[in-house]
Amino acid sequence: MARTVNLNSVRIFAAAALHGNFQRAAEGLGLSHGAVSQRMKQLEEELGVALFERQARGVRLTPNGEKYRDAVNQALSILATAQADLERRDDQVTLHLGASFATRWLMPRMRRFAAKVPDVSIATEVHEELLRRRLGRNEIAIWPARTSQNAPGQHVHRLTELQLVAVCSPELARPDGPLKLEALLLLPLLQDAHRRWERLSGTAGQKAKMSLLNFDRSALALDAAINGHGVAIAPDYFVADEVRSGRLVEVWRGPLSSGEYLFMSWATQDGAGGPVNRTIRWISAEFAPLGAD
């Protein structure tokens, strides 16, 4: 008869496998290095196999450890999805989003959503990277990528292609009219974590040193642009409202095809008339002017 493994040990193993380092796993879990190391030794003894190779600068999974990691990640994903389903109200839809998308696109539209879909309550969860677990009931994820990364049990819809534009305050000193990339790169530039200005500089063969102010989020770079500190670059759906209102002006538009898209996904179990589908229809309609499928 198989021995029962402690669930806390399994969660600690998942963190250690992710980081490849007991100390970083301990910091993320709020534990000591010794506690993590001891739990992993106990888990290996309970399973009767070595899960890690101990090295000078961390740990590396053994072949058995890699198999166990995949099974553990799948099991923890199922548990996380089930817990989210139990905690969510029937009329609540949770949107999984990036921080800048939530700030620049969703928040300005919340009143519009409440007017169009008054019987659905929106909750948001902000993520630094694509959600790893499967989506459960009443959950929607929106993320940028080159491919849709279809997952079993999920619908995936392409909202729009990412069309990059450069924008700045109307008050920023610059040459008149739309600018060519070479002239644009001579202006004060506001760069986010995507580092698009550096990539464009390489494409243009720019040799002169650029004037760059770096931010970790697109939303912060755009706020700096609104306040006249330079030129930011972002997908056009991030800045459409500010351009229409005159708070920002578009001074450059990238090639017609970027090869990157904005996708939306949700679980196949959500019914056609439920809150998720009403939310999906509203989101799709908001992107329709930008050429959504």
Side-chain angles (χ1 to χ4, degrees), residues 163-168 177-182 184 196-197 200 231-234 249-255:
Q163 178 64 56
L164 297 178
V165 295
V167 292
C168 65
L179 302 178
K180 291 186 177 180
L181 182 58
E182 292 79 5
L184 188 65
R196 292 187 175 110
W197 284 126
L200 285 171
V231 184
I233 186 168
V249 292
E250 182 181 316
V251 293
W252 177 85
R253 181 167 283 261

Side-chain angles (χ1 to χ4, degrees), residues 1-7 46:
M1 180 177 177
R3 296 181 64 181
T4 301
V5 175
N6 184 285
L7 183 56
E46 290 172 358

Side-chain angles (χ1 to χ4, degrees), residues 26 51 61 96 103 106 185 204 237 246 289:
L51 299 173
L61 290 171
H96 297 276
T103 301
L106 179 64
L185 293 173
Y237 56 80

Side-chain angles (χ1 to χ4, degrees), residues 46-206:
E46 290 172 358
L47 295 174
V49 297
L51 299 173
F52 296 99
E53 292 179 8
R54 276 70 173 175
Q55 300 175 325
R57 296 187 178 180
V59 293
R60 184 172 65 181
L61 290 171
T62 65
N64 281 326
E66 291 177 352
K67 293 178 184 177
Y68 195 59
R69 173 202 59 199
D70 294 343
V72 163
N73 286 344
Q74 184 177 4
L76 291 178
S77 173
I78 292 170
L79 287 173
T81 300
Q83 181 174 332
D85 284 350
L86 291 172
E87 294 174 347
R88 192 177 299 108
R89 303 197 319 261
D90 289 341
D91 66 342
Q92 179 179 295
V93 172
T94 298
L95 300 181
H96 297 276
L97 313 164
S100 292
F101 185 88
T103 301
R104 304 298 309 182
W105 189 90
L106 179 64
M107 291 301 108
R109 290 169 171 78
M110 287 306 297
R111 287 186 180 179
R112 215 146 66 206
F113 176 81
K116 290 281 187 180
V117 196
D119 57 338
V120 175
S121 172
I122 287 291
T124 61
E125 289 191 18
V126 171
H127 303 273
E128 297 296 331
E129 58 185 23
L130 181 63
L131 188 67
R132 294 178 181 273
R133 66 170 175 81
R134 290 178 59 178
L135 295 172
R137 179 179 62 88
N138 288 11
E139 290 187 296
I140 298 172
I142 300 177
W143 77 97
R146 290 191 173 274
T147 59
S148 62
Q149 303 174 18
N150 289 331
Q154 291 185 185
H155 292 299
V156 179
H157 172 67
R158 194 179 81 185
L159 287 168
T160 188
E161 186 170 13
L162 270 65
Q163 178 64 56
L164 297 178
V165 295
V167 292
C168 65
S169 165
E171 306 302 320
L172 184 73
R174 67 190 190 283
D176 293 332
L179 302 178
K180 291 186 177 180
L181 182 58
E182 292 79 5
L184 188 65
L185 293 173
L186 298 176
L187 297 174
L189 304 175
L190 308 170
Q191 181 167 255
D192 59 34
H194 295 286
R195 310 186 77 83
R196 292 187 175 110
W197 284 126
E198 292 181 9
R199 293 203 298 271
L200 285 171
S201 173
T203 301
Q206 181 83 359

Side-chain angles (χ1 to χ4, degrees), residues 135-136 139-141 143 153-157 264-270 276-277 280:
L135 295 172
E139 290 187 296
I140 298 172
W143 77 97
Q154 291 185 185
H155 292 299
V156 179
H157 172 67
M264 174 171 60
S265 61
W266 63 98
T268 55
Q269 69 189 43
D270 286 305
V276 160
N277 282 273
I280 287 166

